[in-house]
Amino acid sequence: MTAHVNLLGLDADGLARRCADWGQKPFRARQLMRWLHQRGEADFDAMTDLAKSFREVLRERAIVAAPKVLRDHVSSDGTRKWLLDVGGGNAVETVFIPETDRGTLCVSTQAGCAVNCLFCSTGKQGFSRNLEAHEIVAQLWHANHALGAYAREGGVAGDRIVSNVVFMGMGEPLQNYASTLAALRIMLDDNAYGLSRRRVTVSTSGVVPMIDRLREDCPVALAISLHAPNDALRDELVPLNRKYPLRELLAACRKYLERAPRDFVTFEYVMLDGVNDSDRHAVELLDLVRDVPCKFNLIPFNPFPGSGLRKSAPERIEAFARRLSEAGIVTTVRRTRGDDIDAACGQLAGEVRDRTRLRQRMVGSRAGVATGQRERSSVALVEHR
Ligand code: SAH
Ligand code: SF4
């Protein structure tokens, strides 16, 4: 028996190919895509404009399924956080952050992460597995259901409760390239979510060859987790830097901008007390990014037990931001959203840890596995000009 294909992970080409295999014309694939993503329909029998015989095939060969929700937390400021069961004892987080002019969904691409950045709790968790494209798209599909987008007249296309998507949850999207690419294509497709390229952001620790591929395959807004102004320090903070040093990374950024929907890249920079946050670092940083049109997003470090690192003082972050903005670079400081569910996030984190196979193999116990997610997931910004 052939396995059921989860239709949520098929982009336009993939869906057209499947439909062709099932003897259907290309326009059927587009119809199906609209049912799945614009209407959020999971029941083939409800897809009334598809031929009965086709619906029969779909029932036999396909499914439409999203991961089970393990936890659903709503903050008083409207930030909402779901913990999703992706099987095998693994769970990932999805966060929705409403703002006056937009609604941003932060999605995960892997259970755990292999990059192992020094300051990241997901990294400390180790790598479990890549998410399938359907598991990435299902985060958006699920959010639209949970937020009531599909219930409204006209479905999600007209409503845009989720207007922006950031690939800033768990995992390194560019180390799960095929699934990330398919998910991006579905998010941008007018027959699916129809999001603008400018409103979908991939954040990467710097997988240079895949930045190049993304530029060719599906250029969306790009955020780079920079975190250090020189190779010596970045080698320590972001171990991937040893493979793809700053010179190559910045060259890839410049090239990316030739095709990007925005005329700048966003550099994320986690503010670590006494590690990367001095005026000297800021000056070095300005020199480093001289030739790259960019904005900076400073992220106050979100501490977790056992990290051995501290968050920079607010005044230090202010001073650092001022250095950059006085040199003409738009600089924002990430503000935490969903404060009142952050404590709960720590509790959820414990569960994630307990449910992660890799964790079970690790010696010792660290609390607060996913606490690093909370500020990372929070994309509301305070600007310094
Ligand atoms: N793997 C990708 C995307 C997910 S991480 C990447 O690294 O870019 C999203 C952002 O959160 C990254 O900039 C990451 O460096 C940052 N981050 C990770 N751990 C953090 C922590 N404990 N406190 C603050 N930001 C953190
Ligand atoms: Fe992975 Fe990003 Fe965390 Fe680094 S910061 S370990 S790349 S999720």
Side-chain angles (χ1 to χ4, degrees):
M1 206 187 94
T2 44
H4 287 68
V5 55
N6 191 331
L7 298 182
L8 290 181
L10 295 182
D11 61 14
D13 286 350
L15 210 51
R17 270 197 303 273
R18 287 285 173 162
C19 286
D21 291 345
W22 296 328
Q24 300 295 323
K25 298 231 164 64
F27 82 94
R28 292 290 179 205
R30 292 193 289 275
Q31 251 177 322
L32 189 52
M33 197 160 209
R34 288 195 290 270
W35 275 113
L36 297 169
H37 302 291
Q38 292 188 351
R39 310 281 288 272
E41 190 54 71
D43 176 4
F44 297 127
D45 282 331
M47 302 180 182
T48 43
D49 56 359
L50 302 182
K52 261 201 161 143
S53 55
F54 182 29
R55 282 187 259 154
E56 187 80 11
V57 173
L58 289 171
R59 264 201 310 276
E60 278 168 18
R61 306 285 177 82
I63 52 164
V64 181
K68 195 173 138 234
V69 178
L70 293 171
R71 289 290 166 94
D72 180 349
H73 284 264
V74 188
S75 154
S76 56
D77 68 10
T79 300
R80 191 142 170 204
K81 195 183 297 230
W82 297 279
L83 185 71
L84 303 176
D85 183 355
V86 291
N90 293 308
V92 299
E93 267 190 345
T94 306
V95 180
F96 175 68
I97 303 126
E99 290 174 88
T100 41
D101 57 341
R102 64 187 155 187
T104 302
L105 192 73
C106 176
V107 298
S108 295
T109 53
Q110 298 180 315
C113 182
V115 179
N116 196 15
C117 299
L118 198 68
F119 49 82
C120 176
S121 52
T122 304
K124 298 292 152 234
Q125 191 178 322
F127 175 69
S128 286
R129 73 164 174 88
N130 282 329
L131 297 190
E132 302 285 338
H134 65 82
E135 293 170 314
I136 303 173
V137 174
Q139 297 172 57
L140 178 53
W141 191 84
H142 161 73
N144 278 319
H145 273 285
L147 298 167
Y150 289 132
R152 299 191 191 181
E153 187 96 37
V156 67
D159 288 332
R160 292 277 192 273
I161 291 179
V162 177
S163 60
N164 295 51
V165 174
V166 294
F167 284 62
M168 294 185 185
M170 290 174 164
E172 169 49 58
L174 298 189
Q175 285 190 342
N176 182 14
Y177 187 74
S179 296
T180 293
L181 180 62
L184 286 171
R185 286 183 167 149
I186 295 166
M187 290 173 183
L188 300 180
D189 198 308
D190 283 338
N191 288 311
Y193 301 93
L195 293 175
S196 132
R197 283 178 192 283
R198 300 160 56 85
R199 290 173 171 269
V200 177
T201 302
V202 167
S203 173
T204 178
S205 55
V207 190
V208 166
M210 294 301 153
I211 295 175
D212 292 343
R213 278 189 61 185
L214 189 66
R215 183 195 66 220
E216 298 305 317
D217 292 339
C218 190
V220 291
L222 183 67
I224 301 284
S225 294
L226 198 59
H227 307 316
N230 58 61
D231 282 319
L233 183 55
R234 196 164 191 272
D235 281 352
E236 297 305 314
L237 297 179
V238 184
L240 192 68
N241 194 69
R242 294 172 205 159
K243 198 161 179 194
Y244 306 115
L246 282 168
R247 207 172 51 84
E248 290 176 27
L249 179 57
L250 295 174
C253 291
R254 274 193 300 275
K255 251 167 86 188
Y256 191 89
L257 285 174
E258 292 166 12
R259 301 280 307 269
R262 291 184 178 271
D263 55 8
F264 60 89
V265 293
T266 302
F267 289 125
E268 296 164 279
Y269 196 95
V270 63
M271 295 298 288
L272 297 164
D273 180 33
V275 175
N276 65 352
D277 66 346
S278 71
D279 283 345
R280 185 179 55 81
H281 290 118
V283 171
E284 204 180 352
L285 207 47
L286 286 169
D287 191 44
L288 179 76
V289 303
R290 226 178 23 230
D291 302 330
V292 186
C294 62
K295 291 186 180 179
F296 264 84
N297 186 204
L298 306 182
I299 316 173
F301 171 60
N302 184 33
F304 53 96
S307 73
L309 298 161
R310 288 181 314 269
K311 182 197 288 223
S312 307
E315 312 79 65
R316 183 87 292 275
I317 299 177
E318 274 296 307
F320 199 92
R322 208 172 316 117
R323 281 267 174 175
L324 300 183
S325 38
E326 278 170 10
I329 299 181
V330 172
T331 303
T332 54
V333 178
R334 197 168 293 185
R335 169 163 67 86
T336 308
R337 290 284 304 266
D339 272 340
D340 56 335
I341 55 172
D342 276 347
C345 174
Q347 290 152 15
L348 289 183
E351 267 177 46
V352 175
R353 180 192 52 202
D354 293 343
R355 298 173 62 87
T356 303
R357 274 168 300 144
L358 212 127
R359 266 285 171 177
Q360 290 159 8
R361 296 204 296 271
M362 288 173 76
V363 192
S365 75
R366 274 187 219 100
V369 175
T371 50
Q373 299 297 318
R374 79 180 179 210
E375 293 194 36
R376 198 169 351 163
S377 308
S378 309
V379 290
L381 305 174
V382 179
E383 290 220 347
H384 293 250
R385 289 185 189 275

